[in-house]
Every structure is written in structure tokens, then in C-alpha cells.
Amino acid sequence: MAAGNVNPFNVSDSEEEAEQRQDGADTERSPSDEAQGHSLGPFSPPAYSDPAALLSSNRTSPSVDGIPASAAAVSGIGAETRVSLDAIAAQLLRDQYILTALELHTELLEAGRELPRLRDYFSNPGNFERQSGTPPACKEQGVGPGGPLNRAGSISTLDSLDFARYSDDGNRESDERVAECEIASQERKNYKSSPETQEPIRPLEKRALNFLVNEYLLKNEYKLTSITFSDENDDQDFELWDDVGLNIPKPPDLLQLYRNCGNSQPLHRDNVDVAVSVDPSDLPGDYFTQEPVQQTDVIQQQQQQEVVQELEYQISLLNSEKQSLAEQIKKLQSDIQALQRNVSSEPTAGVKSTPSKENPKCDKPPLDNGQYLDIRGVTETDSSSDTTKTSTSTTIATDCTENSTTATQPHSKLKANGQQSKSSVQFDQPNRKLSPAFHQALLSFCRMSADSRLGSEVSRIADSEQSVMLMLGRCLPHIVPNVLLAKRERMVVHLCQELIPLILCTACLHPEPKERDQLLHILFNLIKRPDDEQRQMILTGCVAFAQHVGPTRVEAELLPQCWEQINHKYPERRLLVAEACGALAPYLPKEIRSSLVLSMLQQMLADDKADMVREAVVKSLGVIMGYIDDPDKYSQGFELMLLSLGDPSERVVSATHQVFIPAFAAWCTELGNLQSQLIPSLLTRIEKLLKGEYGLDEHKLHMYLSALQSLIPSLFAVLLQNAPFTSRVKLQGDVPPIEVTRFPRPASPLQDVATIVGSREQLAVLLHLYDHQLQHEGTTGWDSLLWVVNQFLPQIIDIVGRINVTSSTCVHEFSRFFWRLCRTFGKIFTNTKVKPQFQEILRLSEENVDATAGNGILTKATVPIYATGVLTCYNQEEDRKLLVGFLEDVMTTLSLSHAPLDSLKASFVELGANPAYHELLLTVLWYGVVHTSALVRCTAARMFELLVKGVNETLVAQRVVPALITLSSDPEISVRISTIPAFGTIMETVTQKELLERVKMQLASFLEDPQYQDQHSLHMEIIKTFGRVGPNAEPRFRDEFVLPHLHKLALCNNQQTVESKRIDIATQLFEAYSALSCCFISEELMVNHFLPGLRCLRTDMEQLSPEHEVILSSMIKECEIKVENKAIGEAQGSISIAASLVGEDAKTKFLSKMGQLTTSGAMLANVFQRKK
């Protein structure tokens, strides 16, 4: 045979030798082949994935699978020419005998001799994708290596196919999904190297590359190009890799693919098929079991090497980035030094002169020649300066530069005018005495943005030609690209933000008022619906404008723009106006601040429908209250406070307590009417509510009382600042620090006493002197404290005695008020000033037990408010003992005097809401359990009912149930009856079976013991308890216990001869059956107990209450209809049983077939989809 016609497959001597040699050859070749496949990137297929690339048309070339004739001749001397299995597999794949190759692959797998060529081919889904083009070499056959494969139903058994994407309807278009490693191997690249054989890009390949390209653009700061690129590919979501449509994880980025491709090129090798003869007996026994393990180890080593290479690339990338950043830092430092040299080289006496001692921060000239007004430190500067002095709002750096450069740098007329206006800017300083800390905390609610690049540009305004040019040089590079691509809404918004510094600068420096007005109009209408960040940017610019131009131009130019937007249709624009009024308050004339601006905000608070706008209005009103100094505006401020407190929105009310009330209280403190007008006005309104003819309006009571509660810190600050020891205040280092729990947590920084008085150190000194004054020196001459003790406390305690004790809301509100008052004023004040006034009113002495006047106050809300608001504010041992003793005395006094227990119940409800007091309440009740008086024991039994609902089941089992069982065996029948409601509540709330059984047995003894048969009161209490807890109790308890015993009680009531007792029992039974009729009741119980009990009850009502008899008849009729319908339904159900049994066999067969399915879940889901 000629050399050019050598059969590349006849290279083995025998079949056995070929197979054994193939196993060894595969082991040797697999690592290199796999490494070669991996080196081509994540889309590259493993080696031998494409047989056409391995067996090209030039079969005699030594660079492919062909073997030279000499090699074939040598290997075939003296031996029979055989064909290796790998060569057969290659021939089958080349000729597209896919099913035959699959059968061969399956048989080799069963024999434990897997061919890598077949394994790689059938594990690569890319070999079965439909191609859009066919290489010319394959056009004669109609198929190619990647061409369309006419699939039949049997091919769907291939484990490499995605069953969710195909059906067995023959040759159909796939959804173009691409698998991992679909890019051809190195041999296939050689095959397709010419332009005429290059395949066109597939749709999913294009989507994958688009995603990687867009990712590359974003990572490398080509954001505008990325936006344009995404617009041109609007059918693709570049934020989600899954949108590409590939069934592979996201590959590395484009840079990593490029580096892997360039640094891991495989070496060119000649592939030859060779076979040798090996005796199987010479091989080790575990040879075939060791071979896969060795291959796995090699694969793991290669994977580890790839991870190491990846990490090395990342390290090199980070190192290069580090070097680049270091170079940028050096460059910036050199630029700074150059600018400093340029500034210092100018022949100005001011710059060369030594900085003054009054301004030590002027030793370094600022950037941009210092010709900017920077507001980033304005808040701190204003807050730390003395408010009584008149000064400009410019920063230290600006003042330094102005003093050093104004006289010696003659620029244009524009600059001269700017400097002249700058030096003449004077703001009205209010006649106020707010502490710097309070002033700073108040201004913190005016949110402005100066942290970002754009924020820093907006926060400073150029006032000379040179600084204007510098600003344009910084801003224009950010504006021009947005202008070129401003065709999308987000790009337009970004462009508008970049224009803010230019608009402000031009509006400040333009000589024509009309043009300035137009520019400011553009500023406020720049963004249709500005978000939080954009509003902060505009507000920052407005403040910078106000600082630069002064109060007159702010009034004439900025305020009209706010007035125009006050009724805008977009709430974001109105919100901008509300926030601007607060932010501009420090820079307005004080007459405008207290008239026009106040009226604008009042109108918006009353008329605006958006909660967020009214919230911003309230915060701005608080800022206005920090600057207003006109005493005539007090009444308007009080009305605004009431209007804000009555707002239906919680966020507006919260802003009122956090900002407005503290600021208004600070102003009232300076006016001297906090104690003389503000607090008395609120107390007067509360008293009017209590005298109302139509009942108490609890919402308004909460509104006024919450305002009083927010005023407590300001009231305490007044006491400290007007105390006799104020002149002795000195900041000393030996003053003990304030305890963390000394004050209640403030709702905002403005309600912090330390903020009001100035600092935490000063507050510590004042508290130390305050406690010493109360404990040792008394209150003589302390008018503000005497007002609290002699006027405020008696009035509020009197109000407490007039509220409804059964209103849990009122009790809770006043309790929280007194708790906060006592915690703020301190323990010494509480023990010496507050408690004695309550104790004088309550008079808990034993000799007053029978006196009606002495017991009247014990039935009012004074008791629970004193117990829960005053006695619980401190939690030490002596405080807890005082609380326990007070509750025991109240329980004893009320019980022995036969007074209502509402005040004691209110105390237990309020304290029981806090688990920390459960043990304490149980101690009080145990005192009642062992008391000698039966009246006290009855009261204790009834109190257990209130406590059970909030106590955990462990305490119920260990403390409550033993006490109740003790009381249930009390000699007095009234005590035993009093335990029934508590037992019923346990059945309603507890889930422990053992506990429920004990309670059930106790209730059964009450109903079945002969000694209780004639106890009318006991039966009444049991029926009432059953009606209350039955619907919520455990169904088994209701079915087995409640309904049968109600039936017995109804039956016994038919024989009752005393008419009054009979009507009482019948009325209670009617209420119980009405409540239980809403529960689910089985047919058996309905027939045996529920309906018979209703019929017995109807018999009583026919004689005693005909109106109830009509209702009972309708209830009985409804229950009978339910029973009949259930019977009919069961009859119909028996007919359908036969049909269901007939279909059971088909159902069983179907489910068994479903269990045998081995397809994926997605394929199974497609079985039930309707064909389109």
C-alpha cells in the first residue's frame, strides 16, 4: 500500500493487545489532553471533542492522526493487522454513526474500559447543538462536525442532552443554548483558520461576548461607552448572567480569558495510535481499579495548578494597581506642592506676613487661591461661636485668604464686586441664648450634602474670574460627556446635577437681577421630581448662595422661588420648599424669618396632603423656633404645636416631639414662660377634657400628655440653670460621671438634658450640686423647683384622680408620664417630693378601713398610676419591698371595705405587662392566699385570673395552680367560687396536658360533688366561665367537658322551682350557647348534647323570656339543618365510593409509572403542559 494511502486505523497486531495498550495509552495521554482542553479558556472543549478536527482531510500528514507508512510497516511485520478501539471510535464519530458509537461507549463502560474520546464526546452538549453554518468539507454529506443532527426518539436517552429543551418530534430548532467548552480545540482552530471556512458567530456566543465586553467596560471606567453599548443591545440584561441563556456558570472576565489564552498555549504534538501486546496475567490484580484513581489525582493536581495560576495573576494585577495608585499619589503631592509654591511666590505682603494669633489656622494658603466660600464647616463654626457677637458666616480659611489677597490681586471688575459684596455680608444674629450643642443638634436636621465631589463643588462658590475658570475646568469634563449622550432620563438627571455649581456661581456673580432670577428659577425646576440626594445637593447650593450674597438678596431672590413651588403638583418639589425654609433660616432677615417664612410653613402644615412634606415642615418650624426672637409670636408657635400634635400621620407627630417641641420649649425658657404659660396651658386643656359632657376624648388626652412628657427635659434644665448653686458651677475633674441609666432614653438629641445645658461634663457638675442641694441645703429661694413641687405636682395628681380607672389607655399614659418625670428629676426628688404627696392623698392606714372618705381615693386611678409610675421607676430591693407592701395594703383595704377592685385590677394589668414584675405580683397574691380574712382570699383568687394570661407556663404550674388548688379547698364557699374564673383562664391559655388535666379534675369536682348541687352562685360562675373560655379552649376539653356539662345544667334548670334562680341560669346558658354556636361541633355532639341542651333552654325561655325563645328556635332550626345536610352528604359520598374504587386501579398504575420515570423535573413538568 502506498504511503499516501495508509489506513490510519490498521496499526495494531491483535485486538487484545490493542485494547490493553489502549488502556495504558489513555492513562498516559489523558492529563495532557485535558490540560490542552483547559488551556483554551472556559469555552474550549476537552481534547478529542471534535473528531473532524482530529481526522482532517489530509490523512497522510504527520501532524494529525495519520501514521507514516514506515511506522505502519514496522508495527505490522510478522503480525496480523488489527484496528484499535480508539481508532474505531474515531471512525464512527467521523462518519456520524452516533448511535453505534453510543452502543460501543455503553459496552466499554460496562466492561470497565472507558475510552476518553467517547467519554468526552458524549459529555459535551456542544456536539449536539444545531449549527448555523456547515464547513465545505462536510457539504457533500449534508452534515458536519457541528452541523444539524437529525434526532430520533431513541437519541433522547443520551445523558448529555438537556431534556427540558427538546421533545421527540424529530429535527427541530433548539433554543440556541451553548454549553461549556463549546469553542473549538486547537486542532479545530487549525481547520478553521482560513476565512472561507470560519463559522459565523452564534446568537448565544454573541450574547455571552456582549456580557463580557460590557463587564470589561464598566470595570475599566468606560461608563459612557457601556451605556451606549447597552442601548444598542437593548434586548439583553447586562446585570444578570442568566439572561445570556447559557447552562454554565459565569466565566472569568475578559482580561482573565485573554491572559489564560496568551500564557497557556499548548505545545504542538504529533498524535499516533500505537498498540502493544501485554499479558493480562502480568498486570496487578487491582490495575483496573487503580487507573481511575490515578486519573482523578492528576485532574485534581491540574485544577490546583490552575487555582495557583489564577491567584498569581490576581496578585500581579493588585501589585500593578498598587504601583499605579502610588504614582498617582506622588503626582498629586507634586501638584499640591507646585500650587503652594505658586501662591507663596506672589508678591503680597499679606501672604508673607505672619499669621495672627487669633487665627492660627491661617498658616497654610488654601487651594484655588482661597477664593471660595466653603460651607462644609459652617455648622460647627456657627455652633461654637458666641451667639451674642455679630460675625459673617464665612469659614476661617476664607477669612484668612481674603485678608491676605484682596488688596494685592487686582482682577476684573467682577472680582472686585464679588469681594466687595463678600466683605459686606452681614447676617442678623438673633437675640437668643441657646447652647452651642443644642444649636448644632437643631441644625443637624437640615440635611445637606458636601461629602462627594459634586457636593464639595456646590458647597463653595467662586467669587473671582480665576476661581470661576478653575471651577469650569473641574466641572466641564463631567458635563460634556453627559451632553453628548443625554438621551435617557437618568443621563439627563445626572447632567442636571452637574449643572448646579455653574448655575449657582452664575446666579451669584451675574450683575442683572432679571437674569439671576431666571437662573434661580432654573435651579428649583432643574429636576422634575428630585430625590433625597438631589434635594440635599440643591439645598447645599442654596445655603452657599445665601452665605455669599447676604440676607437681602436671599429675601429678594431665593424666597420668591420657594413661594412659587409651595403648591406644586409633585410632593418632591413641595418637600424641597419645606426643607429650604429651614436650611435658609439662619441667613434670612429676622423680620422675614418670623413673618413670611413662618406663614408659608403654617400654610403648608395645614393644607399639604403629603405626610413627608408636613414632616419636613415641622422640622423646619423647629429650626425657625431656634432663631425666632419676637415675643409676640409665642401664641402662633403654640397653635403650630397643637396643630402638629393633632396631625393624623405618625411621622409628623414624631417629628413634632423630636424637633419642634424641644426648640419651642427652649424659646419659652428664654422668654420665661415655660412654667408660667406653656405647661399651665396644657394642664388647663387636660382639665377641660375631663369635664367634657360627651365623655373623655382619649386621643386629645394622649396628645396633650405626650406634649407634657416631651417638655420634662426642658423643665428639668430650667431647674438646674436657675438653681441657687448655679454661680458655684466649675468644671472640675473630680466630679463623678453620669450613670448611663440616670436619664430615660431621649426621643432625639434635642431632648437630651446634656444637649440643653451645653455638655455632658457641665451636666455632671450640675447634677452633683443638685443632689447635694436637695439632700442637705433644701429648696429655699429655688423658685423654679418650688413651682414644680407646690403647683405642678398637686395639679397633675388631682387630674390623675379624676380619670377613668377602667381606661387602660389613660392609666398607661399617665403611668409613663410619672415614670419619666421621676427618672428625670432623680431619686432624691422622687422620695422627698413626689411620694409624700401621693401617700398623703392615699392614706393607707388600717384605722381608715371603714371610713368612706378614706376609701374613695383607693378606687380611683391614683392607685395604679402611683404603683406603676412612681414606685417602679427605681428597681432596688427597698423599692420593690415598698411596691409589694403598697399592693398588699390596697388589696386588704379594698377587700375589707367591700370596695370595687378596679384600681387593683388596673395595677395588676399594667404591671403584668412586664415579665420582670411577675414574681413580685405572685408574692402579693400569695399574701392574699394565706390571709386570715375570706374577703382578702376571694380578692386574691380573682386577681389570679388577670395574671395567668401573661405569666409563662412554668410559673403557672409552680406558683399559680398550687395557690388556686389551695383556695379551691377553702372552708368558705365564696373563696372556692372565686377560683373558677382563674381555672377557666388556665384552660384557655395553657397547653401542658398534665396541667390541663389537674384543672379539669378540679372543675369536675365543682360540678359533680353533691355538696355543690344547690350552689346557685357556683353554677352561675361556671356557666359564665364556660361561655367565656369555651370558644378558645382546647377542642377536646370543649367537646368532652364543656358541652356535656352545659347540657346537664340546662336539664337541671328545667326542674328549678325558684323562678329568679331559673331565669338567672337560663340567661347565662343563653350567653354560653350563643358563644359556642360559632365553634365547630361534630354531628355526634350536636345530636347528643348541643341540640338537647338548646331544647331544654327553649323550654325555660318559653315561660320566662319569649324574646329569647324566638332566637333559640332559629338556632335549633339551623343546627337541625346542618345535621340533615351532613346526612345527605354522607349518602351521596357512599354512592361516589364505588366510582372512586373503580378508578383506584388506574390511579395506582399511573403512580407506579410516575415512580419509574428517570427524566429530570423540568422534563416531567413539560409532560403536563398543553400543546400550543
Side-chain angles (χ1 to χ4, degrees), residues 242-532:
D242 295 337
D243 183 70
V244 174
L246 296 175
N247 56 353
I248 61 172
K250 178 183 169 299
D253 56 20
L254 209 59
L255 178 62
Q256 195 61 45
L257 290 176
Y258 169 75
R259 287 175 172 171
N260 289 343
C261 180
N263 296 333
S264 301
Q265 290 293 343
L267 298 176
H268 179 74
R269 296 180 181 178
D270 293 339
N271 296 326
V272 236
D273 291 330
V274 184
V276 297
S277 177
V278 180
D279 189 357
S281 61
D282 295 339
L283 297 174
D286 58 347
Y287 172 77
F288 295 105
T289 60
Q290 289 179 354
E291 181 179 359
V293 177
Q294 295 174 357
Q295 293 181 356
T296 305
D297 293 340
V298 173
I299 293 173
Q300 291 179 352
Q301 292 177 2
Q302 293 177 352
Q303 292 175 350
Q304 293 173 357
Q305 291 176 359
E306 293 175 358
V307 172
V308 171
Q309 292 177 358
E310 175 70 19
L311 294 176
E312 288 177 351
Y313 284 133
Q314 292 181 4
I315 291 172
S316 63
L317 180 63
L318 292 174
N319 288 333
S320 62
E321 184 178 359
K322 177 183 176 182
Q323 295 175 359
S324 175
L325 292 175
E327 293 176 357
Q328 292 181 11
I329 292 173
K330 292 180 180 178
K331 182 179 178 181
L332 291 174
Q333 289 176 347
S334 63
D335 293 342
I336 292 173
Q337 294 174 359
L339 289 172
Q340 290 177 348
R341 286 194 299 269
N342 292 336
V343 173
S344 60
S345 62
E346 294 177 358
T348 57
V351 175
K352 294 179 181 179
S353 62
T354 304
S356 63
K357 295 182 180 180
E358 296 179 358
N359 223 350
K361 296 182 181 180
C362 301
D363 54 348
K364 291 185 179 181
L367 299 180
D368 298 331
N369 296 333
Q371 313 218 344
Y372 289 91
L373 290 174
D374 197 342
I375 70 163
R376 284 171 289 182
V378 167
T379 301
E380 292 76 1
T381 304
D382 290 346
S383 62
S384 60
S385 62
D386 190 353
T387 57
T388 61
K389 297 181 180 180
T390 302
S391 61
T392 63
S393 298
T394 56
T395 59
I396 296 174
T398 305
D399 293 337
C400 297
T401 309
E402 179 186 356
N403 295 333
S404 61
T405 60
T406 301
T408 57
Q409 290 185 1
H411 289 289
S412 65
K413 182 179 179 180
L414 185 62
K415 177 188 173 183
N417 293 337
Q419 289 184 346
Q420 184 178 358
S421 63
K422 173 183 171 183
S423 60
S424 62
V425 170
Q426 296 286 336
F427 294 101
D428 292 335
Q429 297 299 323
N431 185 20
R432 298 294 299 274
K433 299 178 182 179
L434 294 178
S435 68
F438 189 88
H439 189 258
Q440 181 178 353
L442 186 62
L443 290 179
S444 67
F445 289 95
C446 300
R447 299 182 302 168
M448 289 181 288
S449 173
D451 297 332
S452 61
R453 174 197 62 80
L454 188 57
S456 63
E457 290 291 346
V458 173
S459 63
R460 53 184 186 173
I461 294 179
D463 61 351
S464 68
E465 280 187 351
Q466 183 179 359
S467 54
V468 169
M469 287 185 289
L470 291 173
M471 183 197 66
L472 289 174
R474 289 190 303 269
C475 294
L476 286 177
H478 298 280
I479 295 175
V480 173
N482 292 289
V483 174
L484 298 177
L485 295 173
K487 62 179 181 179
R488 299 174 61 158
E489 184 176 357
R490 62 177 180 178
M491 297 301 300
V492 174
V493 173
H494 184 68
L495 173 61
C496 292
Q497 289 183 243
E498 295 287 348
L499 289 173
I500 293 176
L502 272 64
I503 296 174
L504 286 167
C505 178
T506 311
C508 283
L509 302 178
H510 203 284
E512 294 296 331
K514 185 176 180 181
E515 297 298 330
R516 294 199 301 265
D517 181 74
Q518 185 177 359
L519 288 169
L520 292 175
H521 180 77
I522 292 174
L523 176 66
F524 274 83
N525 294 272
L526 196 60
I527 303 173
K528 182 169 64 175
R529 307 185 73 164
D531 57 20
D532 287 344

Side-chain angles (χ1 to χ4, degrees), residues 902-928:
D902 293 332
S903 60
L904 186 64
K905 290 180 179 179
S907 303
F908 269 73
V909 169
E910 186 71 19
L911 291 173
N914 188 352
Y917 294 106
H918 288 171
E919 286 281 357
L920 184 146
L921 294 176
L922 288 172
T923 302
V924 174
L925 291 181
W926 185 252
Y927 167 82

